[in-house]
Amino acid sequence: MEFEPSTEERMALESLRRHVEAEVLPRVRPAWDRAFPPDLAHELLAGLVDFGIGAGWLPEADGGLGLSYVTSGLLYGELSRLAPDVAGLAYVSEGASMKLARLGTPEQKARYLPGMAAGRVIGCGAVTEPGAGSNVRQIRTRAVRDGGGWRLSGEKTFISNATVFDIATLLARTGEKEFTLFILDRAEHRFETREIAKLGLNGWSFGSISFDDLGIDDAFRLGPPGAGLREALSGFERARAWVAVIASGIARAALDDAIAYAVGRDQFGAPIAAHQLVQGLLADMACETEAASLLTLKALASLDRGGRADLPTSMAKIYASEAAVRVASKAIQVHGASGVTREFPVERHLRNARMLTIPDGTTQINQLIVGRELTGIAAFLGARHPETARTAAE
Ligand SMILES: Cc1cc2nc3c(=O)[nH]c(=O)nc-3n(C[C@H](O)[C@H](O)[C@H](O)COP(=O)(O)OP(=O)(O)OC[C@H]3O[C@@H](n4cnc5c(N)ncnc54)[C@H](O)[C@@H]3O)c2cc1C
């Protein structure tokens, strides 16, 4: 069991920190509160790949770095402490590149992976729809065979990287009970994307993708027909670990800011850090931050071992995303009124953390996964949707 980064990992973390402080933060800080425009998003990602962000998971054979999930998670944790919006942009893109690496034909891989490995091509994963969130099986986006190709109609919403992506891996219904993945290519296909304003992580693009009777060639089908749901669901385990990584980074930033403020602010003739109740706040924050990081590290190590990792990834996702909200809220308390102003970073930490209890399975959905793993009984029951009842029975 190893709880500390290796010497090589420490050096990689230090290089990444220096790059982010010198090259990323000066560019993104003035634009924290709206989605990075496509040009900036592409420049940020391309600048980060050499530091292990954006193409770290891709195998070396596909042009990536082939990092372990633990090493990659450590790097993303550091990036998330400094710039979680950028971490979100990059991990979602990496997720799309991994789907291509796993399922793509040689032609699809040759077309997209070199650009993704270089951070020039941004990816995203489009599953959620206005009528289908927690229950993926309720999606209505339909792909109908049309000669040698397909016609797609539907709307995806709450999609990360929606207004900056070059390619999306998109889940569509291709039969009553059949779901298939497709590649949506901004250079090839006609569709609309729209940014949706949100509470936090505002630099990270988030919005909808809509298309109506869009004709696409069969060359853009990703993986076998009917394999889409299984593939989309299998990606959630890694995504949950990554939400936990980002949440842990935000908690760390909130803790660091609270400590610095508590040491520097005097009340009653002493630094507020000298007051025992403030130390109590800091100690609770430190315990929760550390616990979130350790659960996340365990989830990453499980992913590295291969096989299913539902239990550790869902546990890490639940705990880290909920803990980051509590830690950021306490950081505001330590700052007093300054904490609720936009003059200090802690209100942003709270808004950022609050985003993360929802994606890649809400806290409640992950609780159901943990419950299922503990008891062997699936409790995803829903009276109104026969599709949901089917999930529970499986
Ligand atoms: C920051 C962010 C990034 C995202 N990025 C992406 C992306 O890149 N791609 C993508 O496809 N989607 C993305 N999403 C969408 C996300 O996956 C969905 O929001 C999520 O699955 C929940 O769906 P919903 O919002 O429709 O909520 P709903 O499913 O409508 O749930 C509403 C509430 O009901 C609860 N609930 C639902 N079912 C049950 C149940 N069986 N038991 C108990 N409680 C239940 C939920 O926990 C929640 O509290 C993102 C969302 C966020 C916030």
Side-chain angles (χ1 to χ4, degrees):
M1 226 177 286
E2 184 54 75
F3 293 104
E4 296 301 325
S6 67
T7 308
E8 280 172 359
E9 285 167 339
R10 274 187 202 289
M11 286 164 60
L13 286 166
E14 182 57 20
S15 306
L16 173 66
R17 184 186 61 74
R18 279 203 300 268
H19 172 76
V20 174
E21 287 179 348
E23 306 293 336
V24 176
L25 292 181
R27 308 203 55 199
V28 302
R29 261 195 193 122
W32 276 135
D33 272 324
R34 62 198 144 82
F36 306 138
D39 285 357
L40 177 58
H42 281 84
E43 284 165 32
L44 292 171
L45 196 60
L48 279 162
V49 287
D50 286 345
F51 298 91
I53 300 289
W57 309 339
L58 267 182
E60 285 173 288
D62 289 313
L65 299 177
L67 297 181
S68 71
Y69 288 120
V70 167
T71 300
S72 175
L74 292 172
L75 292 167
Y76 268 92
E78 182 65 354
L79 177 60
S80 303
R81 186 178 68 80
L82 298 163
D85 312 50
V86 181
L89 156 74
Y91 101 85
V92 166
S93 189
E94 287 210 43
S97 69
M98 290 296 277
K99 281 208 177 60
L100 274 161
R102 215 176 109 70
L103 299 172
T105 61
E107 294 73 27
Q108 288 169 337
K109 288 181 165 200
R111 180 167 182 175
Y112 296 115
L113 286 184
M116 297 190 97
R120 280 185 281 104
V121 172
I122 295 180
C124 78
V127 175
T128 307
E129 299 181 0
S134 297
N135 187 10
V136 173
R137 282 163 207 261
Q138 266 173 241
I139 64 163
R140 288 281 166 262
T141 290
R142 191 163 286 278
V144 179
R145 279 206 186 267
D146 177 35
W150 301 81
R151 300 207 82 78
L152 266 69
S153 295
E155 181 182 359
K156 297 290 179 184
T157 192
F158 309 141
I159 306 304
S160 302
N161 294 351
T163 56
V164 300
F165 77 82
D166 301 290
I167 60 159
T169 61
L170 179 137
L171 188 69
R173 189 178 278 274
T174 45
E176 170 91 11
K177 297 180 200 166
E178 189 184 280
F179 301 86
T180 303
L181 283 171
F182 292 90
I183 300 169
L184 210 56
D185 182 332
R186 203 181 284 271
E188 291 278 345
H189 304 128
R190 286 174 61 83
F191 52 85
E192 301 287 325
T193 58
R194 180 177 70 87
E195 195 65 32
I196 299 175
K198 60 189 188 312
L199 176 72
L201 294 172
N202 288 322
W204 184 14
S205 161
F206 172 89
S208 63
I209 311 171
S210 44
F211 38 89
D212 186 25
D213 201 28
L214 167 70
I216 77 172
D217 196 274
D218 193 51
F220 293 96
R221 173 172 47 80
L222 183 59
L229 187 65
R230 190 182 64 239
E231 293 298 336
L233 292 178
S234 74
F236 281 132
E237 276 178 77
R238 188 179 46 225
R240 283 173 186 138
W242 248 261
V243 175
V245 163
I246 296 176
S248 303
I250 294 171
R252 181 75 56 190
L255 173 63
D256 291 349
D257 288 342
I259 294 169
Y261 188 84
V263 170
R265 166 90 173 161
D266 275 22
Q267 287 295 290
F268 297 95
I272 58 168
H275 301 306
Q276 292 176 350
L277 295 180
V278 174
Q279 288 209 358
L281 283 169
L282 295 175
D284 285 349
M285 292 164 67
C287 289
E288 293 219 71
T289 303
E290 196 66 13
S293 299
L294 290 173
L295 269 177
T296 304
L297 201 55
K298 186 170 178 192
L300 296 169
S302 301
L303 288 173
D304 276 330
R305 277 196 299 276
R308 294 302 296 252
D310 296 283
L311 187 62
T313 56
S314 286
M315 286 172 75
K317 204 273 172 178
I318 294 171
Y319 187 80
S321 62
E322 296 285 349
V325 175
R326 292 191 294 269
V327 170
S329 183
K330 284 184 175 143
I332 290 180
Q333 196 64 20
V334 170
H335 281 69
S338 300
V340 294
T341 67
R342 300 248 163 149
E343 316 281 308
F344 285 80
V346 283
E347 63 82 33
R348 185 165 47 79
H349 297 324
L350 181 62
R351 288 187 292 111
N352 288 345
R354 195 64 197 79
M355 300 299 295
L356 298 176
T357 64
I358 295 165
D360 296 306
T362 60
T363 296
Q364 290 70 37
I365 292 300
N366 279 292
Q367 285 173 327
L368 291 174
I369 293 170
V370 172
R372 184 190 63 198
E373 295 302 302
L374 295 176
T375 64
I377 300 170
F380 295 82
L381 285 170
R384 262 198 292 154
H385 294 292
E387 292 287 351
T388 320
R390 197 150 41 236
T391 310
E394 279 166 5

